[in-house]
Amino acid sequence: MLGHHYTRTFLETAVASMNAGCNLELSYGMRSNVFMHIPQALAMGNITLQMLRDRVRPLFYTRMRLGEFDPPGMNPYSALDLSTVQSPEHRNLSLEAAVKSFVLLKNVRGTLPLRARDLPGKRLAVVGPFADNPRVLFGDYAPVPEPRFIYTPRRGLEMLPANVSFAAGCRDPRCQQYSRAEVVGAAGAADVVVVCLGTGTDVETEAKDRRDLSLPGHQLELLQDAV
């Protein structure tokens, strides 16, 4: 109704939503939100009581499974806190999930993995706006963990027995201002170069779409200079 003008009134929107199978409204916070018009739609015969019951049933089934109607002492979720969420078991599982989700498109001459035994005396450069910026590493709606649990590429690579140099090239993913000399200086003196590029929520997020899939700003130039 407000954005796409598919409907004209809140009442019409409530009826269309329920007929389409929607049973939960993410309200704008207005007192007169869309689903508050369901009783009126029911009274006018636009929807049936059976449809209303069918829409409500899975909501309350889920809430009952979550223990929302139980005494707090009976609800196992009530006892969970950050010590559980950030437990070693959960952090190890997160690490395993991350490792198993990596996609390696090409591994020329066995560049990866970087083995600690092969790195002493080697020079490693990590460059790009995502190389050492914790803020841009998390996607839309992602919870940001405690700083001690955040490992940027630079911080992680510095744990290896190598001489690590760093050059962001640009301050943020938009990469409007780019220092070619900074990147070339770091990459040119290195045996291995890790280039960290992307978009992040600065560039794209909910309600912020892009016209194309190209790397933002001067990021492609940064990549070409590093190569």
Side-chain angles (χ1 to χ4, degrees):
M1 186 187 79
L2 300 178
H4 300 282
H5 309 291
Y6 179 75
T7 54
R8 290 165 296 181
T9 66
F10 277 11
L11 174 61
E12 186 183 349
T13 305
V15 173
S17 300
M18 292 195 66
N19 281 325
C22 181
N23 66 352
L24 186 65
E25 177 186 2
L26 178 57
S27 172
Y28 284 91
M30 295 177 285
R31 291 186 179 182
S32 182
N33 55 52
V34 171
F35 274 7
M36 292 300 289
H37 292 74
I38 289 175
Q40 183 183 355
L42 187 64
M44 294 176 63
N46 298 119
I47 60 173
T48 66
L49 184 60
Q50 186 59 47
M51 176 189 287
L52 180 58
R53 286 172 171 162
D54 290 342
R55 296 293 179 266
V56 167
R57 183 177 289 110
L59 294 177
F60 279 86
Y61 173 72
T62 302
R63 295 184 66 186
M64 290 176 72
R65 288 193 66 192
L66 289 171
E68 290 188 5
F69 303 107
D70 297 333
M74 291 178 58
N75 188 342
Y77 298 106
S78 300
L80 298 178
D81 57 19
L82 281 179
S83 66
T84 304
V85 175
Q86 295 283 16
S87 66
E89 293 81 10
H90 286 185
R91 295 207 306 273
N92 289 336
L93 183 60
S94 296
L95 177 61
E96 181 184 351
V99 170
K100 289 184 176 179
S101 68
F102 290 150
V103 177
L104 181 63
L105 299 181
K106 188 180 289 187
N107 195 15
V108 178
R109 294 197 298 270
T111 303
L112 296 176
L114 295 176
R115 296 182 177 86
R117 65 175 182 268
D118 300 329
L119 291 175
K122 293 290 182 68
R123 296 165 300 181
L124 194 155
V126 53
V127 301
F130 281 72
D132 196 39
N133 187 343
R135 186 182 61 81
V136 302
L137 297 181
F138 300 92
D140 202 9
Y141 292 101
V144 180
E146 298 174 36
R148 60 195 175 104
F149 295 125
I150 301 175
Y151 279 78
T152 64
R154 178 188 182 183
R155 182 183 176 190
L157 291 168
E158 284 180 342
M159 298 175 67
L160 297 173
N163 181 13
V164 178
S165 59
F166 160 71
C170 39
R171 292 181 302 175
D172 56 64
R174 291 190 180 92
C175 203
Q176 297 297 323
Q177 295 180 318
Y178 167 53
S179 174
R180 181 179 187 273
E182 182 184 356
V183 170
V184 171
D191 300 300
V192 177
V193 181
V194 179
V195 186
C196 305
L197 307 174
T199 54
T201 55
D202 287 353
V203 176
E204 56 184 344
T205 180
E206 181 185 8
K208 190 195 294 183
D209 296 331
R210 305 178 64 211
R211 293 183 181 275
D212 58 68
L213 297 177
S214 303
L215 287 168
H218 294 280
Q219 285 196 38
L220 178 59
E221 184 181 348
L222 187 158
L223 174 62
Q224 291 168 335
D225 289 339
V227 172

